Amino acid sequence: MARALLFGTPVSPGIAIGTVRFMHRMRQDEERRIRAEQVAAEQDVLRAAAADVRAALQATMENVPEDLAEYRDVIAAQMEIVRDPKLLNAALARIARKQVCAAWALKLTVDELCTLFRGMDDPYLRDRAQDIRAVGLRLRDRLSADPAQDAGSEPGVLAAEDLSPADVMELDLDKVLGIVTTEGGPTSHTAILSRGLHIPGLAGVTGLVDIAREREPIIVDGLGGCVLLGPDEADLARYASRRDAYTAWETRTLKAAHWPAEMCDGVRVGVQANLENPSELAAAQECGADGVGLYRTEFAYFTDRLPTEEDLLQEYADVARRLAPQKVVFRTLDVGADKMLHAQAVLKEPNPALGLRGIRFCLRHQGIFRTQLRALMRAGANGNVAIMLPMVAAMDEVQQVRRIMQELHQDLSAQNLPHAAALPLGIMIETPAAAMICDALARECDFFSIGTNDLIHYIMGIDRNNRHVAYLNEPLHPAVVRSLKRVIDAAHREGIGVSVCGELASDPFGLALLLGMGVDTVSAAPRFVPGMKHLIRHFNAADCMDLAHSVLLSTDVAASKRMVRETLQQSLGHELAFHTTSLFTHSQP
């Protein structure tokens, strides 16, 4: 039996067996009183550590490759935190006032600031707590008399409170067998990194830092969502067998990835990839995706200057050309909430998630928006391009965009610039308002794409980053399920296609339900596409429709979960254990 069993949120599937390697040394912080004459020297030690950390972060930022350019802003923000008087000056003052060593003063200051920021309503300010903690850990390591430990010096499972982009850039990724963190979730750096490396990952592992020991044996179950510390021989043998079985299954699904996703009774479903940037194009082609259901365009804007039309055209045209004749759905700029842009930072909104983001931002800043639309229309001459608008809540927003595109068509024609005169224009259904007026919106749009992540959070009235209400992040809640069905039916009545690009599409339990409700296309990160296509080939359309009908009639979430699990158990048998799901991980408060 293992010494300890911990649970977390699976963010990347698979099973890893190795030893614990902490990203930052996990040890008792030095708590030492000093004499008055030692204060100045101790303050100098802290200032020197801060200077070293700033220099190290600067060097790391300069070495960030272009395909990870979005990391530079986060690293730059951490550099500013090191300079921020709220951190450094407060710690220096605490050394003098309390007559304590630099490490102790730093710990007290970081804890105080993190508590302050985590208690704020603004999700951006709450996220600053993670940056402060990351900087604090770096400063603590510099203050240590021991040489810094290299977390990637030998193969192991990386353990940390959280991973920042600067941490990622300093790792020898070839030696990371798995990743577990106490913070983060499905969209964290932990999730993105572990999925990109095709290694198991768990986030939100409660008690990890306090319980785990450096170099002790560990098993990471990225399928079941658990961590075994100090496993015995029976545990090691059992999980080694499961790991081998999962690896063999994943190999089989990858070999069949280019086969069509056709259900047992002949119903074919499109399975597309969601991409962050051009560097993922090869992964999209290898995974057998039927095009791109969501291409996020924000990363070109995460620099010190706004991209030009030619900058954007080069990126978009390259993507469209390489994937032609398959369709690429480009989502227009979606800033706000968890995606900040320099032009928006000055607004200092009290609640960015409900503020000027998505299409609202674009229609307010039409200079930025028109530049992007011109680039997309010109890229349309190179391939099969469609445009998708985020955060739509009103008919007028779509109508305004159509008028702008008509004006741009006339301008581009007058300039004799090759472009697509009429690109398909669709919207993301992610606000309750859009779900309520979906029948009218369907008459204005060429397609719908349901963003289940935001839609669920807005319907349930929760903040995705607040663990205290995580139990309400419930895709099978009657309000959510019935809203999804309403949107799908409205789209089909008007003869337009409807896809789902949120996390629910890659969840086996959610996928069966969505197919039963009539979704035409699903999309997810490239890593999940082969498994999704494999799943669909095991489903029967009639059975999925019966399941959806039963769930739609149910008002009991627990009963709905049982129905979904029983249906999938019948369809997949033992293979069900090879798929991760978040539908069964939320607990009541």
Side-chain angles (χ1 to χ4, degrees):
M1 178 181 295
R3 179 178 70 82
L5 178 63
L6 308 178
F7 295 93
T9 301
V11 295
S12 184
I15 294 173
I17 301 174
T19 55
V20 176
R21 294 287 183 271
F22 281 111
M23 181 70 215
H24 301 279
R25 287 186 298 278
M26 299 299 164
R27 64 181 188 283
Q28 183 66 38
D29 288 290
E30 183 183 13
E31 297 182 357
R32 175 171 51 88
R33 297 283 180 181
I34 61 174
R35 297 187 301 275
E37 59 268 25
Q38 295 176 303
V39 167
E42 206 67 23
Q43 289 177 328
D44 287 342
V45 168
L46 182 56
R47 290 191 187 97
D52 287 346
V53 168
R54 282 197 300 270
L57 288 171
Q58 179 66 44
T60 299
M61 186 166 67
E62 291 173 356
N63 290 326
V64 173
E66 285 304 316
D67 59 345
L68 293 176
E70 68 275 12
Y71 282 9
R72 293 192 185 114
D73 275 359
V74 185
I75 297 173
Q78 290 189 5
M79 291 174 62
E80 289 304 314
I81 290 172
V82 183
R83 297 190 185 98
D84 194 331
K86 286 193 290 293
L87 176 61
L88 187 57
N89 288 358
L92 292 171
R94 189 172 258 117
I95 292 173
R97 188 175 66 254
K98 299 288 187 180
Q99 290 192 9
V100 296
C101 68
W104 196 357
L106 175 68
K107 177 184 183 300
L108 293 172
T109 305
V110 167
D111 288 348
E112 182 179 74
L113 287 173
C114 285
T115 300
L116 174 66
F117 277 84
R118 282 173 176 156
M120 294 180 176
D121 292 331
D122 189 308
Y124 274 106
L125 294 178
R126 282 203 305 276
D127 286 346
R128 291 280 286 183
Q130 293 187 14
D131 289 329
I132 292 168
R133 178 67 66 187
V135 169
L137 290 171
R138 285 176 169 270
L139 285 168
R140 188 192 68 179
D141 286 348
R142 293 287 175 174
L143 291 171
S144 170
D146 300 326
Q149 173 180 301
D150 182 0
S153 60
E154 53 185 281
V157 171
L158 186 64
E161 288 188 26
D162 198 8
L163 288 180
S164 73
D167 294 330
V168 171
M169 294 308 303
E170 294 176 359
L171 293 172
D172 183 351
L173 299 178
D174 291 334
K175 295 180 179 178
V176 180
L177 304 178
I179 301 176
V180 287
T181 60
T182 58
E183 303 287 343
T187 59
S188 65
H189 290 298
T190 299
I192 295 169
L193 177 62
S194 53
R195 286 197 292 264
L197 294 176
H198 284 216
I199 58 175
L202 286 181
V205 182
T206 304
L208 174 69
V209 171
D210 297 325
I211 299 173
R213 301 167 183 165
E214 179 71 22
R215 298 183 182 276
E216 80 169 316
I218 183 175
I219 296 173
V220 179
D221 184 353
L223 302 172
C226 65
V227 174
L228 286 76
L229 296 173
D232 60 19
E233 291 300 324
D235 293 327
L236 291 169
R238 183 170 72 256
Y239 275 93
S241 177
R242 285 191 62 195
R243 179 189 59 190
D244 294 343
Y246 175 75
T247 302
W249 173 85
E250 194 173 40
T251 300
R252 290 197 303 272
T253 61
L254 192 57
K255 287 181 179 178
H258 293 275
W259 299 357
E262 192 171 283
M263 290 192 269
C264 297
D265 42 5
V267 177
R268 183 170 292 192
V269 180
V271 182
Q272 299 177 322
N274 295 340
L275 301 185
E276 304 277 350
N277 52 59
S279 68
E280 295 183 324
L281 284 174
Q285 293 168 321
E286 291 169 6
C287 74
D290 305 318
V292 175
L294 169 62
Y295 186 91
R296 299 178 174 92
T297 61
E298 291 77 43
F299 294 117
Y301 296 82
F302 291 165
T303 62
D304 293 333
R305 66 172 181 83
L306 288 171
T308 65
E309 180 180 329
E310 294 304 319
D311 292 333
L312 297 176
L313 173 61
Q314 182 178 355
E315 175 185 340
Y316 302 158
D318 180 56
V319 172
R321 192 180 301 113
R322 289 172 61 182
L323 289 175
Q326 293 179 325
K327 179 182 289 187
V328 181
V329 179
F330 289 88
R331 183 182 68 186
T332 56
L333 185 59
D334 184 12
V335 291
D338 55 349
K339 312 170 191 75
M340 206 60 166
L341 187 71
H342 292 302
Q344 193 190 30
V346 296
L347 297 174
K348 298 181 180 177
E349 294 185 280
N351 195 342
L354 299 176
L356 197 63
R357 59 169 290 196
I359 191 61
R360 305 165 186 177
F361 177 90
C362 289
L363 291 175
R364 174 73 66 87
H365 299 276
Q366 287 201 21
I368 296 173
F369 189 40
R370 285 172 178 263
T371 296
Q372 182 177 40
L373 287 178
R374 279 177 59 97
L376 286 169
M377 294 174 71
R378 292 175 65 186
N382 296 272
N384 189 353
V385 171
I387 296 176
M388 181 164 66
L389 309 176
M391 282 298 291
V392 168
M395 292 266 291
D396 180 60
E397 292 167 333
V398 183
Q399 293 166 346
Q400 284 188 67
V401 174
R402 287 204 180 275
R403 288 195 292 270
I404 292 172
M405 291 181 68
Q406 181 60 34
E407 294 173 11
L408 295 180
H409 164 58
Q410 294 172 357
D411 292 344
L412 291 168
S413 297
Q415 294 173 304
N416 291 319
L417 291 174
H419 67 284
L423 292 177
L425 180 66
I427 65 171
M428 289 192 73
I429 303 289
E430 50 190 340
T431 66
M436 291 297 294
I437 63 169
C438 57
D439 51 344
L441 287 169
R443 292 190 286 273
E444 290 288 334
C445 300
D446 298 311
F447 62 91
F448 282 167
S449 182
I450 304 175
T452 55
N453 300 354
D454 276 336
L455 183 61
I456 293 170
H457 296 142
Y458 288 133
I459 288 177
M460 300 304 295
I462 60 173
D463 170 13
R464 71 175 72 187
N465 298 311
N466 190 333
R467 67 180 186 277
H468 300 298
V469 293
Y471 70 97
L472 288 172
N473 184 11
E474 188 50 79
L476 294 188
H477 189 285
V480 175
V481 174
R482 294 173 187 179
S483 296
L484 293 173
K485 181 60 173 171
R486 176 187 177 89
V487 171
I488 294 165
D489 288 347
H492 289 164
R493 280 195 299 271
E494 296 300 325
I496 66 173
V498 58
S499 64
V500 175
C501 61
E503 290 173 24
L504 194 60
S506 61
D507 189 301
F509 297 90
L511 180 58
L513 186 60
L514 291 170
L515 297 179
M517 289 193 286
V519 164
D520 304 299
T521 306
V522 290
S523 65
R527 171 87 194 267
F528 296 107
V529 169
M532 291 166 65
K533 297 180 80 170
H534 182 80
L535 269 176
I536 292 170
R537 296 187 200 107
H538 283 73
F539 288 155
N540 181 290
D543 291 342
C544 290
M545 291 175 64
D546 290 342
L547 171 64
H549 180 72
S550 299
V551 172
L552 285 163
L553 291 176
S554 173
T555 57
D556 185 339
V557 173
S560 296
K561 289 182 177 181
R562 285 195 299 272
M563 288 186 283
V564 176
R565 182 181 286 280
E566 289 170 2
T567 299
L568 263 72
Q569 190 66 55
Q570 294 173 2
S571 299
L572 301 176
H574 73 280
E575 283 194 6
L576 183 58
F578 297 148
H579 299 275
T580 58
T581 178
S582 60
L583 266 66
F584 296 88
T585 59
H586 304 302
S587 59
Q588 294 297 321

